[in-house]
Amino acid sequence: MEILLLGTGSADGWPNPFCRCASCRWAVDTGEIRAQTAALVDDVLLLDCGPEAPRSAMRHGRSLAPVRHILFTHGHPDHVGPAALLMRHWAGTAEPLDVVGPASALDQCRDWVGPDDPVRFVEVGPGDDVHLGAYRVRVLAAAHGSDIGGDAVLYDLESVGGRIFWATDTGPLPEETHAAVAGAAFDAVFLEETFGNHTGHGTEHHDLPAFAATVATLRRSGAIVEATEVVAVHLSHHNFTGSKLAAALMDSGARPGRDGEIVGASRPAQRRTLVLGGARSGKSAHAEALLAGEPAVTYLATGGMREGDPEWAERIRLHRGRRPHSWRTVETVDIADTLLTAETPVLLDCLGTWLTARMDLRRAWDDGGLDGVHADIDELVAAWRACPVRAVAVSNEVGSGVVPPTASGRLFRDLLGVLNARIATESDEVLLMVAGRPLRLPAQ
């Protein structure tokens, strides 16, 4: 994923064209001219598009003709420049365009497109999860903009090329947003830092102390990890200048963004993998091979022992014999806490036996306790999403067999299908084992 920063300044940019303060004079003298904050992702997606963004793209050698998606965070005028849609209309562009954002932004744009323009407006709010071409977009709550209806949002943007957090404009993040990004291990975070050492601003923006506190919380939750690039944007003349600002941000492991710079967010090695397959397809052996190079692994065995079943006991003995002695086996069906607190890579084998145990516990076979099973699935999916280490899960693929002849069999099949699909959605890769050979399934 390539992110071109079209602007890194606040609403009035930096320098403010009407200001004579020392900070603005420094910006003019050194040529550090920052336009209003916006970014172009992979040449096809705009993150905010204020009035300065189209011309900024031209200055940095990029055409906006390939853009297929515009994501607005809120309706403030430095983030919404609807004239860009009229420019696109005049160019006669026939390709479809998604215009995504809260109502405060979209309402300003609807009158700027022609009746036959291939433009789709997608209104979103916190908690929404949408797919735009090659991108998955999770919409998060911001602390900003009560004067525009309080509907400002932030974006967790992910593709096969990486995952980034676009967090402008906002004050200190709401708890629901911290919870939503926990464990995300972003490749890059673009966090607004408007007011520098001016802490008495009384606005829903970050100053340097608030910025440091937000970054620290994101690090503790696993949203920011060692490899994450943390870039301060939406900078104003209230900030320190030059190396002094860089030093202040360095204390948080961050740096100031600059107009025209390109940030590359490359996807690290796959972190969450789901291995599906039918009986004897080789799914467990392949899952173990994926972690064979790890010095220590926590093996979550959800099947346990079965009294009076020698065949099952022999299968367990063979499984244990394949694992390195350095691996730690935990036999349990209460796996959410283990996933959330894991310090070494985890192998979960398997989701089918886990689901069977939870259905037994909830007495779901008698048409009771289904709400409890669904709550267990919700908890497991959340823990899988937030797991801070490399994790591999094994499950039975249920979509290829005959219809089970019993009601209980059909119930299990249906629930496992739901569980598999939800875990797959939160996985970096999904493999289907056929005759011992893995097939990598495409992303949605």
Side-chain angles (χ1 to χ4, degrees):
M1 188 186 294
E2 178 196 83
I3 303 97
L4 169 64
L5 292 176
L6 301 178
T8 58
S10 59
D12 53 348
W14 187 9
N16 179 314
F18 296 91
C19 183
R20 296 173 177 169
C21 74
S23 175
C24 288
R25 290 199 304 271
W26 166 86
V28 172
D29 292 344
T30 59
E32 287 280 347
I33 310 298
R34 288 179 163 86
Q36 296 160 344
T37 292
L40 179 63
V41 180
D42 297 331
D43 286 332
V44 300
L45 185 148
L46 276 169
L47 287 166
D48 283 318
C49 183
E52 296 179 342
R55 207 58 55 194
S56 292
M58 298 289 96
R59 279 194 294 273
H60 300 306
R62 300 297 177 95
S63 168
L64 296 184
V67 170
R68 298 292 174 264
H69 322 286
I70 301 176
L71 273 61
F72 291 114
T73 54
H74 61 295
H76 280 167
D78 54 317
H79 294 262
V80 181
L85 298 172
L86 184 59
M87 297 175 195
R88 191 176 190 271
H89 171 79
W90 285 336
T93 304
E95 285 75 13
L97 175 71
D98 297 315
V99 180
V100 181
S104 65
L106 300 192
D107 289 348
Q108 299 180 53
C109 298
R110 299 184 194 276
D111 292 338
W112 291 78
V113 300
D116 298 321
D117 286 351
V119 175
R120 178 176 71 126
F121 290 99
V122 182
E123 185 175 327
V124 295
D128 288 345
D129 191 335
V130 297
H131 288 267
L132 303 172
Y135 302 92
R136 179 182 181 182
V137 182
R138 300 173 181 90
V139 187
L140 308 172
H144 187 69
S146 57
D147 58 315
I148 54 168
D151 62 353
V153 298
L154 312 175
Y155 292 112
D156 171 353
L157 180 69
E158 184 175 19
S159 74
V160 294
R163 186 175 181 182
I164 67 170
F165 185 23
W166 185 253
T168 183
D169 293 352
T170 182
L173 301 180
E175 287 301 319
E176 63 189 280
T177 298
H178 277 298
V181 300
F186 290 111
D187 298 293
V189 169
F190 300 90
L191 178 62
E192 75 116 90
E193 194 283 284
T194 306
F195 279 101
N197 63 337
H198 174 49
T199 57
H201 48 86
T203 69
E204 293 175 305
H205 286 285
H206 280 87
D207 45 51
L208 277 169
F211 181 94
T214 293
V215 170
T217 302
L218 292 171
R219 289 191 190 280
R220 286 194 298 271
S221 74
I224 292 176
V225 295
E226 185 175 354
T228 304
E229 190 160 12
V230 182
V231 182
V233 294
H234 209 267
L235 299 163
S236 80
H237 62 166
H238 293 289
N239 274 281
F240 298 124
T241 59
S243 59
K244 193 173 180 182
L245 173 60
L249 290 170
M250 193 180 298
D251 290 340
S252 299
R255 63 174 181 80
R258 286 187 168 83
D259 290 26
E261 75 164 294
I262 294 173
V263 179
S266 58
R267 169 58 64 199
Q270 302 294 352
R271 207 161 58 83
R272 292 181 294 265
T273 301
L274 173 61
V275 182
L276 297 168
R280 317 305 292 177
S281 62
K283 57 186 182 294
S284 292
H286 186 77
E288 292 166 11
L290 292 176
L291 296 175
E294 299 288 347
V297 171
T298 299
Y299 187 100
L300 289 178
T302 61
M305 298 298 294
R306 298 178 184 175
E307 289 289 333
D309 190 340
E311 181 185 0
W312 183 257
E314 176 62 13
R315 291 184 64 181
I316 289 179
R317 187 189 68 80
L318 292 174
H319 271 250
R320 287 175 175 170
R322 287 201 306 255
R323 298 174 215 153
H325 294 300
S326 61
W327 287 22
R328 181 174 69 99
T329 299
V330 178
E331 294 186 354
T332 181
V333 293
D334 296 319
I335 56 179
D337 285 344
T338 304
L339 287 172
L340 289 170
T341 59
E343 296 181 353
T344 62
V346 172
L347 174 55
L348 166 57
D349 194 353
C350 76
L351 294 177
T353 51
W354 173 84
L355 180 61
T356 300
R358 302 313 295 181
M359 292 177 72
D360 286 342
L361 179 68
R362 302 292 189 182
R363 300 184 184 276
W365 308 107
D366 302 320
D367 291 330
L370 280 180
D371 287 345
V373 174
H374 284 294
D376 291 337
I377 291 174
D378 290 343
E379 182 184 37
L380 174 58
V381 171
W384 177 255
R385 181 192 306 124
C387 182
V389 298
R390 176 83 166 99
V392 178
V394 177
S395 190
N396 305 294
E397 172 51 43
V398 295
S400 303
V402 298
V403 176
T406 64
S408 59
R410 292 190 292 273
L411 176 62
F412 174 79
R413 174 205 59 184
D414 293 347
L415 286 174
L416 186 57
V418 169
L419 175 59
N420 286 347
R422 292 191 61 189
I423 292 292
T425 297
E426 300 297 340
S427 297
D428 299 306
E429 66 174 359
V430 181
L431 305 176
L432 176 64
M433 297 300 299
V434 179
R437 298 188 178 184
L439 300 175
R440 181 170 281 103
L441 302 184
Q444 290 183 330

